[in-house]
Amino acid sequence: MAKTGTTTTQGLRAAIERSGYYPALVAEAVEAAVGGEPIASYLVHQETTFDANEVRRHVTVLVLTANRFIVSHTDEQNADTSSPTPYATTSTESVKLGRISSVVLSRVVANPESYTPGTLPREVVLTIGWGAVSRLDLEPAACGDPNCEADHGYTGNSTADDLSLRVSEAGDGPETVRQALAFAQALSEATAATR
C-alpha cells in the first residue's frame, strides 16, 4: 500500500490479508497502482462463484485517493491448454476522479414499512461509470399513430457500466456492507468536489 503509515493504509492491508485470496499478489498490485498517494477510502470484496464443475474465486479492491479511483481485480484460473499449472491474473486501472461520470448505490432493505434510518441494508450494489465500458440498449422507434407503417429508425439508451459490485450482509458480512456504504459515500463526495 501507499507508504503513508496511516490507519487507512494499514486497514486496507489487513482487509486484503483477511480476504485470504493471494494476499501478497493482490497487495503488490494495489501498492504499485496507489504509489505514494495517501488512501482516503477502500473496499475489498472477495467473491466465490460456481462455474459448471469448477469453483472460482476472485477479489476486487477499490481504492480512493485524493486524485484517483483505482480498481484492482484478481482472478484465478485452473490449468488449461495455455498453462499446465493453475495461475492468477491481476489487473489494475487508475481513473482520474474527474472522469467518473456516475456513482450509483442501490440499497435493498427488508421490511421497508418499518425501516429505521441508520439500519444496515440487506445488500448494496455499487455501480461506477467512467466511460471505459458502455452498454447500448436499442429498440425500434415508433410514432404515436398505431396505423403507421413507416420506419422510424431506432431509439435507445447508453448506460455507463464500467464496474458493478454487489455486497450482501448474508454473503459478505455486515462490516463489508458498512465498508461499501462508506466507500460509495466517499467516492460520491470526491467526484462532486472535482466538478
Side-chain angles (χ1 to χ4, degrees):
M1 301 327 95
K3 312 275 190 292
T4 62
T6 66
T7 51
T8 303
T9 301
Q10 294 164 352
L12 174 56
R13 186 182 308 271
I16 289 171
E17 289 173 3
R18 255 191 324 275
S19 79
Y21 186 82
Y22 307 121
L25 174 65
V26 172
E28 182 180 59
V30 172
E31 180 179 317
V34 171
E37 286 187 76
I39 296 169
S41 188
Y42 65 88
L43 175 63
V44 176
H45 183 252
Q46 192 269 333
E47 185 175 11
T48 302
T49 56
F50 301 93
D51 183 21
N53 295 332
E54 297 177 353
V55 175
R56 294 184 128 167
R57 300 179 305 157
H58 56 100
V59 67
T60 303
V61 180
L62 309 180
V63 178
L64 176 62
T65 71
N67 303 305
R68 299 181 297 146
F69 165 66
I70 298 163
V71 181
S72 177
H73 187 82
T74 304
D75 282 303
E76 66 182 356
Q77 306 292 328
N78 291 324
D80 56 23
T81 56
S82 68
S83 175
T85 60
Y87 59 99
T89 304
T90 300
S91 61
T92 57
E93 183 171 2
S94 176
V95 181
K96 287 184 177 183
L97 288 178
R99 285 197 49 218
I100 295 179
S101 56
S102 66
V103 178
V104 180
L105 182 67
S106 300
R107 302 167 190 244
V108 177
V109 298
N111 304 312
E113 69 281 354
S114 60
Y115 177 77
T116 304
T119 302
L120 199 61
R122 185 169 64 195
E123 71 181 56
V124 296
V125 178
L126 176 60
T127 305
I128 304 165
W130 58 91
V133 178
S134 293
R135 184 179 66 238
L136 189 60
D137 296 319
L138 294 175
E139 62 184 37
C143 67
D145 181 0
N147 297 318
C148 180
E149 296 181 12
D151 182 356
H152 295 286
Y154 289 89
T155 186
N157 295 310
S158 176
T159 308
D161 198 16
D162 295 304
L163 175 75
S164 190
L165 194 67
R166 178 183 170 270
V167 177
S168 72
E169 187 176 21
D172 304 297
E175 187 52 39
T176 305
V177 174
R178 280 187 198 87
Q179 191 70 37
L181 292 169
F183 184 84
Q185 181 175 350
L187 183 59
S188 290
E189 290 171 358
T191 57
T194 63
R195 305 269 176 230

